[in-house]
Amino acid sequence: MSFKPLTPFLSVAPQISEADVALAARQGFRSIIDNRPDGEEPGQPSAAEMKALAEAHGLGFAHVPTVGGQVSDDHVAMMAEALKRLEGPVLAYCRTGTRSTILWALSEAGVQPADALIAAASGAGYDLSALRPRLEAANVR
């Protein structure tokens, strides 16, 4: 699987497998963030299973479970805390990578301009243009 860089510190991906965790470790990632709630999809590995895989490869791990389309300010704060706490580079994943990208962009809103966040997401293949009002609102606080 190819991991999609948003910044030199953070890349995103759709659901990763055991082989992807090993690949991430070989490619120099130091931590993984799981943005999927357990049981979101049949057959999906649990956060506990993914944490064990990450740790077996010497990677840090955080679980920031977020339901697609329901990204709250609390989720954004948890993502920001995980990104601050974990050693990078970090690989974040969800079902498609979009949720992880949204969480990152919102955690950077107010730090980076909305245009820069939308452009970085677009470069990785994610369209966050509909998120512009929320990203811009953070810049006026």
Side-chain angles (χ1 to χ4, degrees), residues 38-82:
D38 281 343
E40 182 177 49
E41 196 170 66
Q44 163 195 335
S46 70
E49 291 168 319
M50 295 306 292
K51 180 179 182 184
L53 283 171
E55 289 175 349
H57 289 279
L59 304 176
F61 183 85
H63 187 214
V64 181
T66 308
V67 174
Q70 298 179 27
V71 178
S72 71
D73 289 343
D74 287 341
H75 295 124
V76 173
M78 289 188 308
M79 183 70 164
E81 187 280 325

Side-chain angles (χ1 to χ4, degrees), residues 17-29:
S17 66
E18 183 174 353
D20 295 323
V21 174
L23 176 62
R26 285 193 308 275
Q27 289 185 356
F29 286 93

Side-chain angles (χ1 to χ4, degrees), residues 115-134:
D115 286 341
L117 297 167
I118 291 168
S122 178
Y126 298 98
D127 180 6
L128 298 189
S129 57
L131 199 60
R132 180 180 293 282
R134 192 167 172 192

Side-chain angles (χ1 to χ4, degrees), residues 1-24:
M1 164 177 306
S2 66
F3 307 131
K4 300 174 181 180
L6 296 173
T7 72
F9 181 81
L10 178 67
S11 294
V12 295
Q15 176 67 55
I16 59 176
S17 66
E18 183 174 353
D20 295 323
V21 174
L23 176 62

